[in-house]
């Protein structure tokens, strides 16, 4: 039965937009949203206690996505951005009916953009096993990858490395190089970053690819989609003041906060712990 707590209380433009991911990866989307919508208030939830999602079952990720969305709604969120390809793959179809009336924006690997940009029709997609093995992703390929050679690659260890704060680190470069090798051998000229953690090391991925490969991430298109949805539903915040951001995590703030501070370039950033029961 639908509970009142699962419905947005009222359409209030001053209410925050909620974002969530398995960990710090969704900050790549939050950063783009902050640039596109500087007046919006935002809440970010990192499910660090259960990160990574990529090797987990769809059922597990769906349960976490429901619990987190319920939490964001209880904090007054007027819209939710699923800033995680794996959670979008596993949970979008159940989140929308579970929270009727809530504006939910998901994310998917930018295969359409890859198809448009590729000159030699060979593209690579990096993502988690959950995303690349999912139904949404295979539908995306059926609909938008006709005439293309698409090579997919889960990047073992990269999410963990980024979560540990090894963003500017030769060990992370080694993981990137090892995982790119099979795609580069296929002669791809376009690489789609199908996990929100990967844009946090986009420059390192681009330099490992070399100048002949265009690297695409989805932070900005998702931020534009959020702006369109807020405008269309009358929820855009028009106040002249800059918006605030609150950060929550199911993990240990002493571990998560320093990584988030580095990514957001904000030494004063604080993280509040919330375990969130399902
Ligand atoms: N950042 C996430 C994604 O976009 C999840 C990575 C993970 O937890 O495995 O898929």
């Amino acid at each position: 039965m639908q509970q009142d707590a699962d419905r947005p209380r009222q359409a209030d433009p001053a209410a925050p937009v909620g974002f969530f991911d398995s960990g710090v990866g969704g900050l790549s989307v939050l950063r783009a949203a902050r640039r596109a919508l500087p007046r919006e208030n935002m809440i970010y939830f990192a499910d660090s206690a259960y990160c990574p999602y990529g090797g987990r079952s769809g059922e597990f990720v769906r349960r976490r996505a429901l619990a987190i969305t319920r939490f964001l709604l209880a904090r007054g969120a007027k819209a939710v951005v699923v800033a995680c390809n794996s959670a979008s793959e596993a949970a979008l179809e159940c989140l929308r009916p579970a929270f009727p009336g809530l504006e939910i924006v998901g994310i998917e690997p930018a295969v359409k953009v890859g198809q448009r940009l590729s000159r030699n029709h060979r593209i690579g997609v990096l993502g988690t096993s959950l995303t690349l093995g999912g139904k949404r992703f295979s539908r995306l390929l059926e609909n938008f990858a006709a005439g293309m050679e698409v090579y997919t690659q889960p990047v073992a260890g990269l999410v963990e490395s980024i979560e540990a704060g090894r963003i500017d680190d030769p060990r992370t470069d080694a993981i990137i190089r090892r995982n790119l090798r099979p795609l580069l051998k296929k002669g791809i000229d376009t690489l789609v970053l199908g996990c929100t953690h990967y844009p946090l090391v986009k420059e390192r991925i681009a330099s490992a690819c070399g100048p002949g490969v265009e690297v695409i991430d989805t932070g900005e298109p998702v931020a534009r989609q959020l702006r369109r949805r807020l405008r269309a539903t009358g929820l855009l915040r028009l106040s002249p003041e800059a918006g605030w951001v609150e950060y929550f995590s199911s993990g240990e703030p002493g571990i998560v906060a320093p990584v988030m501070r580095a990514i957001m370039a904000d030494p004063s950033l604080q993280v509040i712990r919330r375990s969130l029961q399902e």
Side-chain angles (χ1 to χ4, degrees), residues 129-190:
S129 309
L130 187 58
T131 301
L132 300 176
K135 283 201 207 99
R136 277 171 66 86
F137 184 67
S138 53
R139 265 201 312 268
L140 194 64
L141 294 187
E142 273 162 33
N143 293 338
F144 297 99
M148 310 276 298
E149 286 170 46
V150 181
Y151 301 100
T152 60
Q153 176 77 26
V155 191
L158 186 52
V159 166
E160 291 86 338
S161 217
I162 292 169
E163 288 292 321
R166 294 194 291 270
I167 286 172
D168 204 0
D169 190 296
R171 285 168 292 179
T172 302
D173 289 336
I175 294 172
I176 292 171
R177 276 197 305 273
R178 193 169 53 242
N179 284 282
L180 281 179
R181 214 167 289 138
L183 299 182
L184 296 175
K185 272 199 192 141
K186 298 287 184 189
I188 59 159
D189 70 353
T190 307

Side-chain angles (χ1 to χ4, degrees), residues 99-263:
F99 300 97
L102 177 65
E103 207 45 56
I104 300 178
V105 175
I107 191 165
E108 63 189 17
V111 171
K112 290 179 238 178
V113 182
Q115 186 201 37
R116 214 173 54 233
L117 294 184
S118 175
R119 294 163 309 274
N120 71 4
H121 310 297
R122 277 184 221 156
I123 70 170
V125 183
L126 300 179
T128 67
S129 309
L130 187 58
T131 301
L132 300 176
K135 283 201 207 99
R136 277 171 66 86
F137 184 67
S138 53
R139 265 201 312 268
L140 194 64
L141 294 187
E142 273 162 33
N143 293 338
F144 297 99
M148 310 276 298
E149 286 170 46
V150 181
Y151 301 100
T152 60
Q153 176 77 26
V155 191
L158 186 52
V159 166
E160 291 86 338
S161 217
I162 292 169
E163 288 292 321
R166 294 194 291 270
I167 286 172
D168 204 0
D169 190 296
R171 285 168 292 179
T172 302
D173 289 336
I175 294 172
I176 292 171
R177 276 197 305 273
R178 193 169 53 242
N179 284 282
L180 281 179
R181 214 167 289 138
L183 299 182
L184 296 175
K185 272 199 192 141
K186 298 287 184 189
I188 59 159
D189 70 353
T190 307
L191 180 68
V192 174
L193 304 184
C195 166
T196 54
H197 279 75
Y198 305 163
L200 299 173
V201 289
K202 183 176 178 180
E203 275 145 40
R204 306 183 88 86
I205 292 175
S207 94
C209 283
V213 178
E214 179 102 35
V215 180
I216 301 168
D217 85 72
T218 5
E220 281 172 17
V222 170
R224 283 199 297 273
Q225 171 67 358
L226 174 63
R227 188 170 49 202
R228 274 194 296 273
R229 294 309 308 150
L230 293 179
R231 189 171 286 143
T233 49
L235 286 174
L236 204 58
R237 183 170 184 247
L238 298 170
S239 153
E241 294 151 34
W244 45 257
V245 190
E246 269 184 338
Y247 298 89
F248 294 88
S249 173
S250 54
E252 179 54 60
I255 296 171
V256 180
V259 183
M260 287 197 176
R261 285 186 194 121
I263 292 169

Side-chain angles (χ1 to χ4, degrees), residues 20 58 61-62 65-66 82 86-96:
F20 77 90
V61 174
R62 270 190 290 283
L66 285 164
V82 184
S86 309
S88 294
E89 170 66 50
L92 258 190
E93 278 172 19
C94 82
L95 286 179
R96 292 204 164 109

